[in-house]
Amino acid sequence: MLMSETYLNHPTFGLLYRVCVLEDSQELFTTLYAQRLFFLVTTAGTGFKFEPIGRSDARLMVENRIRLLRRTGQSQEYEQLQAVYQQTFQ
């Protein structure tokens, strides 16, 4: 299964690109071009909640997700997220 690209339109910062899914209702997004601003986006019945987070916190969240994928044997998603991590944080 290929990881599909997902975008959201933020009212102030414009188009955001999904870095990864963190939990059932939480995803990590970044600004499309600069990839300097990160948002923890929570999906609720009333819509989306955008919580700005720092680059180091975003990096830690992705690292934790990578560890979880490796532990649970989800190798394809692990490899895809590892590639996204390399592009985004290094």
Side-chain angles (χ1 to χ4, degrees):
M1 179 174 103
L2 290 176
M3 201 160 103
S4 64
E5 293 183 358
T6 302
Y7 301 91
L8 276 179
N9 193 23
H10 187 279
T12 304
F13 296 104
L15 208 54
L16 302 179
Y17 172 76
R18 183 174 72 187
V19 176
C20 72
V21 174
L22 297 171
E23 294 179 13
D24 285 339
S25 62
Q26 289 188 329
E27 299 172 284
L28 181 65
F29 281 80
T30 186
T31 49
L32 184 60
Y33 298 107
Q35 295 184 348
R36 297 284 181 233
L37 300 173
F38 292 87
F39 298 89
L40 181 60
V41 178
T42 305
T43 306
T46 58
F48 298 104
K49 176 185 168 198
F50 294 90
E51 180 183 344
I53 60 172
R55 184 175 177 83
S56 59
D57 287 338
R59 183 178 183 152
L60 182 61
M61 289 177 176
V62 174
E63 289 170 351
N64 287 337
R65 180 70 178 169
I66 287 171
R67 279 193 284 278
L68 175 68
L69 293 173
R70 186 177 56 226
R71 255 194 333 266
T72 58
Q74 299 177 57
S75 60
Q76 187 171 8
E77 286 125 45
Y78 167 82
E79 290 171 11
Q80 290 171 344
L81 187 53
Q82 188 72 22
V84 169
Y85 176 85
Q86 296 292 327
Q87 291 174 329
T88 307
F89 296 105
Q90 297 188 352

